[in-house]
Amino acid sequence: MKMDSDLLHSPAVGLAEEEEADMNDWKLPLAFMKKRHSEKIEGCKALAQSWRMKDRMKTVSVALVLCLNVGVDPPDVVKTSPCARLECWIDPLSMSPQKALETIGANLQKQYENWQPRARYKQSLDPTVDEVKKLCTSLRRNAKEERVLFHYNGHGVPRPTVNGEIWVFNKNYTQYIPLSIYDLQTWMGSPSIFVYDCSNAGIIVKSFKQFALQREQELEVAAINPSHPLAQMPLPPSMKNCIQLAACEASELLPMNPDLPADLFTSCLTTPIKIALRWFCMQKSAKLVPGVTLDLIEKIPGRLNDRRTPLGELNWIFTAITDTIAWNVLPRDLFQKLFRQDLLVASLFRNFLLAERIMRSYNCTPVSSPRLPPTYMHAMWQAWDLAVDICLSQLPTIIEEGTAFRHSPFFAEQLTAFQVWLTMGVENRNPPEQLPIVLQVLLSQVHRLRALDLLGRFLDLGPWAVSLALSVGIFPYVLKLLQSSARELRPLLVFIWAKILAVDSSCQADLVKDNGHKYFLSVLADSYMPAEHRTMAVFILAVIVNSYNTGQEACLQGNLIANCLEQLSDPHPLLRQWVAICLGRIWQNFDPARWCGVRDSAHEKLYTLLSDPIPEVRCAAVFALGTFVGNSAERTDHSTTIDHNVAMMLAQLINDGSPVVRKELVVALSHLVVQYESNFCTVALQFIEEEKNYTVPSPANTTEPGNLTPVSPAIPRLRSVNSYTNIRAATTARNLNKSLQNLNLNEEGGPAAFSPGNLSTSSSASSTLGSPDNDEYILSFETIDKMRRVSSYSSLNSLIGVSFNSVYTQIWRVLLHLAADPFPEVSDLAMKVLNSIAYKATMNARPQRILDSGSLTQSAPASPTSKGTHIHQAGGSPPMPSTSSSSLTNEVPKPPTREQPATRPPYTPTLGGQAPHSHQFPRTRKMFDKGPEQAAEDSDEPGGHRNYISLALQTGLCDWSAKYFAQPVMKIPEEHDLESQVRMERQWRFLRNTRVRRQSRCITQRGVSRLDDQIFINRNPGVPSVVKFHPFNTCIAVADKDSICFWDWEKGERLDYFYNGNPRYTRITAMEYLNGHDCSLLLTATDDGALRIWKNFADQKNPEMVTAWQGLSDMLPTTRGQPSASAHSLARRVSIYLDRSKQGGAGMVVDWEQETGLLMTSGDVRVVRIWDTDREMKVQDIPTGADSCVTSLSCDSQRSLIVAGLGDGSVRVFDRRMGPNEW
C-alpha cells in the first residue's frame, strides 16, 4: 500500500492528459440540474401589503384659534426687553391692535394654504369658550370622518394649567376664561390634529392623553352598566389616534430672542425655508459665506413650487432630506401613518423635524404625540447645511450682477452614494438611507434616467427590496412615469414594473385604472425592443389579465392576442414561454378572448410550441391550450370540434420526458373532462365493465424471479423518500374500497368480483409505503393500471363507432396512462380526475340499476342537464342500494398489509360534504365564480363538484415561472462566483477526480496479474439484480427487484437503502450514474419502460426523486432470444403483460453519454430510443431490425455510433447520423 500512496503523490507520466481531463470536467454539461429539477414548482410566498395605505385620509377643515390680546401681556410671563415680537412675520405693534390681529390671522391662513390649499379654514381671533365650541363642532360636523386641524396660539393668555386647561377670553376681554381639554376633545372628535404654540405646551399633551384614557374607562363602565348615562349615547371615536404637536416641554418657556419670531414653532411648521435660512445666517458658521445678510435672504429669487429656481430647489432638497431622516429613524408603520397617510400631516411632520433642530438650539424641546425619536443630530442635516451654503454663496452675484444660478450637486451626490451602496455593499446590511431621495429625484428630468437605473438595480436584489421601495412610496411615481413617451425610459420602466408585479400582483388594478397597460402593449408590439424587455412586458400583461376581468377586457381591446401570436416563434425561449402563459390567462374564463383566439387560429399556432426544445415553453403551451378548452361558456358544434382537435394534439404529449409538462397536461385534460362530463361518465362505465372481464394472477401463488428471499422482519426498514411519500404503486391503502354504499369492511381477506361498487380488489402483500392523505379513491392505483393495460387488448366497439365519442375514449386512455405515471405528482393529479368521474358515473348509474337490473353497459347515465330521472336522498347523499342487487352489495375484502392504516372516512371527492349528483351540474360551468371555501360550505349547489376538479388541480407553473422576475437577474449565479461555497465544493470534487484518475493510471501501468484480495463482502437486503460502481468515489449501488442499496465497498458500510417506487409487477433492470464527475444522480430503469432519477442518496439527506418518465412505451412481453410471435393466445399475452414477473426478457437497458447529455434506451422493444436530457425529449428511434430483445447497449460519442447486443446472439452497430429513411 505504501507503493500505491507513493505513486499517488508522485509526478506521474502523462500530466498533459491529466490536465486535459481536468479541464473536461469543467466543460462537461450537467444533466437534470436546472431549476425545474431542484426547486418545488410553486410561487413566492405572498408578502404582506404593508405599503398600501388602506385608510388614506385628508385634512379637510382647519380651525385657527389666536389668543393674542395685542398690547396686553399675560400676567404669568415676564418678557425680556427687547423681546421676540413677530407673529406670522408681522410686528403686531406696527398697527392698531384689531388690525394687527386680523392681519396675523389672515397671514397664518395663507401660510397653511401653501400646504393644503383645498381645506376649509375658519379663524377665531381672541375668542370666548362658546365661540371655540361653535367653531369646533361645526367643523367636525362638516368634516364627517375626515381629519380636522386645531391650531392654538396662546401668546396673549396665561400658560396652560396642570388641570388640563388652556385660556381664552370673556366677551368683554376683562377676564381670562379656562377651557378644558376634555371639552375640546368632545367638540373636535376624531381623527384630529392639534398644534399648540404656547409656553409649557407639553402640559396640554399630557392632559390630553389622560383625558383620552379617562374616556375609555368611562365607556368600559357604561358597557357593563346599562343604566349609565353614556350607555344610551352613540359610541364616540377613540381619541388615542389624535396627533398633537406642541412647541415645548411642560416646564419650558418659548424663546424670547429678538432676532427670532415670537411664533417660532408656527414659523417652522408653516414657513420652514424662510426660518431655516434666517437661522442659518444667525449661526457663527454663516460668516464663512461673505456678503449674506438677513435682508439679502428676503430677496432669494424664485417660487417654492418651481424646482428650477433657487428657492424651489432649496424647498425640494429640504423635502428630500426631512423625508429621508424620518424614513431612516422612524419605525415603518409610524412612518406610513405620519408621512404617507395625509399630505398636510406629512408636511407638518417634515417641518416638525426642522422645529426640533432649531428650537433645541434655544433650549426648547418640541413635543409630539406620537412621540418621535430625536432627529436633530442626524447626519443628513449636514447635507442640508451644505446645500444652503452653496445656494447662499451665489446670492450676491445673482442679485447684483444677474449671473445664472448653478444648481446644487446634492441629488447627483446622493445618487452616487446610493450607487456605492449597491456596488460595494455586502449581502446582509441595513437598507440604503438614500432611498427616499431616489424617489424625489424621479421628479427631475435631469437625473431621472440615472435614478431609474439605480432603482432597477436595487429592486433586483429581491422581494425585500421591492417591499422596501413600495413602503417608501415609489408606486405613484413610477405609475405616473408610464405617461412619458421617452423611449430611453422604456427598458428601465419595464424592468421596474416587472419586479413590482412579481412581488405584488395586486397592482394590476392600478395599472388598468391609469391605462398603464397600454404602455406595455406598445413595448410588446415594438419589434425594435430587445427580446428581454418584450419578455418583461408580456409578463406584466400576463399579471394584468390574471383572474381580473377588467384587465382582460382592456388588454383584449389593446390587441394583445394578435401581438402575442406574432411573438410565438421568437428565438428567445423565455419570451415564448410568457407569451403562451399570457394567452392562456387572457382567455381563461373570458369567452370574447377565446373567440378572438379562434378567429386568429391561436390554438393551431400554439401547436408548434408543443414540440419546443425547452420544457417550460411546452408546459406554457399546454397551459394555454388547457384554458382554451376549459372556458365556461355555452358550447356550439364549432367550439366542440375545436376542443376535440386541441385534446388530440395535447394527447401526443403523453410520453413527454418532462414531468412538469405531463402535470400541466393532466390539468389541461381535466378542463375538457369538466366540460364534457356526461360523455366521460359513459366512457368510464364502459372501461369499468371491460376491466371486470379480466382477472389479475394472484401474486401469492407466483414466484417472482430475482426476489426469492421471503419477506420477513429481518429485512431492514426502507428509508422514507421525500418525493415518494405518496407513491400509488405499492400502496394497499387505496385498494380498499370503502365505497359508494358506505359498507363495512370485511375483516377476512378473500376473492371478490369486480363491480361498480367494488372497483378495486387486487392486493399486494409486499406494501411498504402508506398513503399520506387519508382519503379513499374509488379507483385504486392497481385498478387503473390494470384497466390501462387491459384496454390495449380489448375492443370497445360500443364507443369507437361514433367519431366524437372516440375522442373521449382516447382522452380517457391518456388519463389512465398518466395515472400510472412513474412521477408521483403526475399520477396523483390524474388519479383525482379519474376518480372524480368514476364517482359520478357510478353515482348516476346506481339509482337506475335499482330500478332496472339490466347490465351496466345498457344503463348509460342520463345527460347532466336532465332533471328528475334519478332517485336520491335529501342532501345529495348517495342512495342505499337494495339487497336484491348482488353486484352492488359485495363487501370489500381488506388485503393483508404490513402496516395497517388507521380507519379512514369514505372517499368524497368534493372539498366538503357528500358529492352531489351529476344531474345537478349544468352543461355550462362557472369555474371561478366562488372560492374553494364557499364551495366547501355549499357543495350541493350546481358547479360544486366541477369546482372541486378545477380548483384542486393546479400545478403552480405560472407562479413558479413568475419567481424568475422576483429573484435577482443581474447577480452572478452562485456556480459562476469563484468564491461561493458551491464553486468551492465543485472544485474539490474535480480535484478528487484528478486524484482518482492518477491512481487508476498508476495501477493500470503496474498491471494486475492475480485477483487474490477480496476487499468487500456483505449481505444485501434483497437479491441483487443490477450492480453499479460510482466512477470516482467508493460507493456501489446494488438494486434488487424494487429497491436500491448503497454500500461503501472500502469500509464495508451500508450507506442507504430506499424504495424505487416501481409497481409490484416490474423489476429494476438497469442503473446509471449521471453527472458522476460532479453532483451525482442515479438513474434506474425498470422493465415496464419507466426511468427514474434520484438525488441525495448515500448521504445524510433523504433520497429525492428529481424526475421520472416513460422511456419506452409498449414493452413487448418476450422471452430472451425468442420472437414474440402470434403463437401466444390473446389471454396468454394479457396474462404475461399483466404480471411481468413471469417474464425472462431483457427488461430495459440503457447507456448514458455525459458529453452530449444523450440517453440510449432499449430492451424488450424493436427500437433503440434516444433521449435528449437537456430538452427532455425523444430525439430519435432507431429500429433494430431484429425480432429479439436488446440485451445490452454501448455508444461511442466521438463517432455517433451505437452498438446493441441482442437476445438472439447478434451484435448490431448503428450510426445515429443516418436519416430515418436510410435504416
Side-chain angles (χ1 to χ4, degrees), residues 627-648:
T627 56
F628 190 78
V629 299
N631 208 290
S632 57
E634 197 72 48
R635 284 308 195 240
T636 62
D637 290 343
H638 182 205
S639 63
T640 302
T641 306
I642 291 171
D643 287 351
H644 290 169
N645 291 337
V646 171
M648 296 316 292

Side-chain angles (χ1 to χ4, degrees), residues 465-688:
V466 176
S467 297
L468 213 56
L470 290 172
S471 74
V472 171
I474 214 87
F475 186 80
Y477 290 78
V478 289
L479 188 63
K480 186 81 173 171
L481 283 173
L482 293 180
Q483 298 171 13
S484 167
S485 58
R487 281 187 64 85
E488 65 273 13
L489 297 184
R490 281 186 167 191
L492 299 169
L493 283 171
V494 166
F495 184 85
I496 287 167
W497 272 103
K499 290 290 173 185
I500 291 173
L501 287 170
V503 173
D504 187 353
S505 58
S506 69
C507 303
Q508 57 183 182
D510 305 270
L511 280 170
V512 176
K513 185 180 174 184
D514 281 34
N515 285 323
H517 63 286
K518 292 181 179 176
Y519 189 87
F520 302 108
L521 282 166
S522 65
V523 172
L524 180 63
D526 187 351
S527 57
Y528 293 103
M529 289 293 285
E532 290 82 3
H533 299 138
R534 281 182 284 136
T535 303
M536 291 173 194
V538 79
F539 162 70
I540 292 163
L541 292 164
V543 175
I544 289 173
V545 299
N546 186 24
S547 304
Y548 183 50
N549 192 254
T550 311
Q552 289 172 315
E553 287 176 4
C555 289
L556 180 63
Q557 290 171 6
N559 214 19
L560 174 61
I561 290 179
N563 281 344
C564 283
L565 292 174
E566 286 174 14
Q567 320 259 353
L568 278 178
S569 56
D570 193 276
H572 195 265
L574 199 61
L575 177 57
R576 297 198 301 273
Q577 178 185 344
W578 274 102
V579 162
I581 290 174
C582 188
L583 285 170
R585 282 179 168 178
I586 192 171
W587 57 49
Q588 191 167 26
N589 301 318
F590 186 52
D591 208 46
R594 182 182 190 272
W595 282 111
C596 179
V598 169
R599 286 191 295 274
D600 289 347
S601 303
H603 53 295
E604 293 173 9
K605 292 172 182 174
L606 279 165
Y607 292 162
T608 57
L609 294 190
L610 295 178
S611 55
D612 197 275
I614 308 297
E616 288 88 346
V617 178
R618 301 201 295 274
C619 210
V622 174
F623 167 77
L625 291 169
T627 56
F628 190 78
V629 299
N631 208 290
S632 57
E634 197 72 48
R635 284 308 195 240
T636 62
D637 290 343
H638 182 205
S639 63
T640 302
T641 306
I642 291 171
D643 287 351
H644 290 169
N645 291 337
V646 171
M648 296 316 292
M649 286 301 296
L650 287 173
Q652 295 174 16
L653 292 173
I654 185 170
N655 285 322
D656 192 280
S658 175
V660 291
V661 176
R662 298 196 305 278
K663 273 200 291 182
E664 203 60 55
L665 175 62
V666 177
V667 175
L669 295 179
S670 76
H671 295 318
L672 198 79
V673 168
V674 169
Q675 222 37 273
Y676 301 97
E677 185 181 279
S678 60
N679 306 90
F680 278 102
C681 285
T682 308
V683 173
L685 287 173
Q686 182 66 45
F687 268 76
I688 290 166

Side-chain angles (χ1 to χ4, degrees), residues 65 106 115 315 428 646-647 774 781 814 921 1111 1128:
V65 179
W115 305 104
N315 187 45
N428 299 316
V646 171
N774 293 334
F781 169 82
V814 168
F921 301 96
H1128 298 289

